[in-house]
Amino acid sequence: MASSASLLVCFLAALFCTLSGAAHLAPLDAAVLNFALNLEYLEANFYGCAAYGRFIPEELWMGGENQSGEAPIGCPARPTRLSKQALAYAIDIYEDELAHVKFLKAVLGSAAVPQPLMDLGPAFKAAGNAAASLALGENVTLDPVFNPYANDLFFYHGAFIFEDVGATAYAGAASLINDTGILTAAAQILAVEGYHAGAIRTLLFQSQGKKAINKPKLLVRDVVQAISDLRDFVDGPADMDSGVTVASQCKNEKPGSNIVPTDENGLIYTRTTDQVLAIVYLGGAPGKGGGFFPNGMNGQIN
């Protein structure tokens, strides 16, 4: 059976034939696609580190006019300690995200931005401590340190940070895109990101009662909710995030599942580009960077 990544590439091939190159792109469409490319760089490198202990191929770091890209920091120097199941998820999602990078770069052509500096190590530690501190109302240093390459649960939590954001980012950017072919491709990528997010949220829900952190003592559902609350805190006053559990209607019953974060109409939340930047910058201001993008994203939307 063909991999999901190869199927995605084949499915988008017809669009690629008509969209490849930058001459046809409206300036706003190019800016939105480069914004998406930055996020795909982030996700593809994260899953490459988790699956193989390496970044995406160096030839993909370059911009459309051969501008040099930057090597990320924080990838483990040795293979990750993931189970066969977690490793299978990491490899599968890596292939999809790598395909997205290649596709977006091909569509953008000479307008594609190079890979920016990304922090795939210390930024996770900072995110974990910030989420726990917000949840507990005091400064907290997690023990063990939040390292998404250390074990299955931490890997799933690391993926959770990104996947919901990617899905809501594509949903929010839809209204900015003028070209219907590009909009179709963006919708297809959104669907893939939604599948990723649903898979990760399901895995976390299945483990929601397990201990995730020793000090302070936090269960998986507590960590997930803390990450969700941190995203909600930094992206502004609107409430557009949720964990993987909901309170049971019956006393003494276990929490129910919340696999898909939706509004009252069952629609996925949408985030503006500024809201997405606030999350991946871990509260840093647009134009300044921070968090997973220490020097900010590349492109007009940064």
Side-chain angles (χ1 to χ4, degrees):
M1 181 179 291
S3 70
S4 58
S6 62
L7 289 172
L8 174 67
V9 172
C10 292
F11 196 56
L12 296 179
L15 282 170
F16 170 74
C17 291
T18 58
L19 296 179
S20 58
H24 68 286
L25 291 176
L28 182 56
D29 285 352
V32 171
L33 290 182
N34 270 319
F35 178 73
L37 178 57
N38 278 272
L39 295 176
E40 298 295 350
Y41 280 139
L42 180 66
E43 290 183 308
N45 278 282
F46 166 65
Y47 288 109
C49 289
Y52 300 111
R54 63 175 185 261
F55 308 124
I56 66 173
E58 191 169 348
E59 61 266 23
L60 293 175
W61 302 0
M62 298 175 65
E65 296 183 343
N66 294 326
Q67 310 102 309
S68 297
E70 298 195 55
I73 60 174
C75 200
R78 58 188 179 188
T80 53
R81 301 168 181 171
L82 302 183
S83 69
K84 289 183 179 180
Q85 173 184 280
L87 186 60
Y89 279 102
I91 292 172
D92 188 16
I93 299 177
Y94 167 73
E95 291 175 349
D96 290 340
E97 304 299 1
L98 187 66
H100 294 167
V101 170
K102 292 177 179 178
F103 177 74
L104 290 172
K105 288 173 74 73
V107 172
L108 283 159
S110 62
V113 296
Q115 178 168 282
L117 177 65
M118 293 175 293
D119 181 343
L120 296 171
F124 281 107
K125 175 182 177 181
N129 289 340
S133 297
L134 178 66
L136 298 176
E138 59 182 343
N139 290 330
V140 172
T141 300
L142 296 180
D143 181 17
V145 169
F146 180 38
N147 173 6
Y149 315 114
N151 57 58
D152 289 9
L153 288 179
F154 277 5
F155 165 64
Y156 297 147
H157 284 108
F160 175 72
I161 292 176
F162 295 146
E163 291 300 343
D164 281 4
V165 176
T168 56
Y170 275 101
S175 64
L176 303 176
I177 297 174
N178 295 302
D179 187 289
T180 55
I182 293 174
L183 181 60
T184 298
Q188 290 171 287
I189 296 176
L190 165 61
V192 175
E193 300 295 345
Y195 276 115
H196 294 168
I200 295 300
R201 292 177 72 94
T202 298
L203 290 164
L204 287 168
F205 175 74
Q206 290 172 341
S207 300
Q208 48 104 2
K210 294 182 179 179
K211 184 171 68 174
I213 303 291
N214 293 325
K215 182 181 178 182
K217 184 179 179 180
L218 296 172
L219 303 180
V220 167
R221 61 173 173 262
D222 301 325
V223 178
V224 171
Q225 190 61 54
I227 293 171
S228 173
D229 290 343
L230 178 64
R231 291 190 306 218
D232 232 353
F233 177 76
V234 300
D235 74 2
D239 183 6
M240 55 180 60
D241 214 307
S242 57
V244 297
T245 59
V246 292
S248 172
Q249 299 297 316
C250 301
K251 188 177 181 181
N252 298 326
E253 283 195 4
K254 293 181 179 180
S257 68
N258 182 41
I259 302 306
V260 184
T262 60
D263 65 14
E264 64 276 10
N265 296 311
L267 303 177
I268 188 174
Y269 293 111
T270 63
R271 283 189 168 99
T272 67
T273 55
D274 279 353
Q275 289 173 320
V276 173
L277 290 172
I279 293 173
V280 296
Y281 291 176
L282 294 182
K288 295 185 178 180
F292 297 101
F293 291 94
N295 297 332
M297 287 188 181
N298 286 333
Q300 293 183 334
I301 304 175
N302 62 13

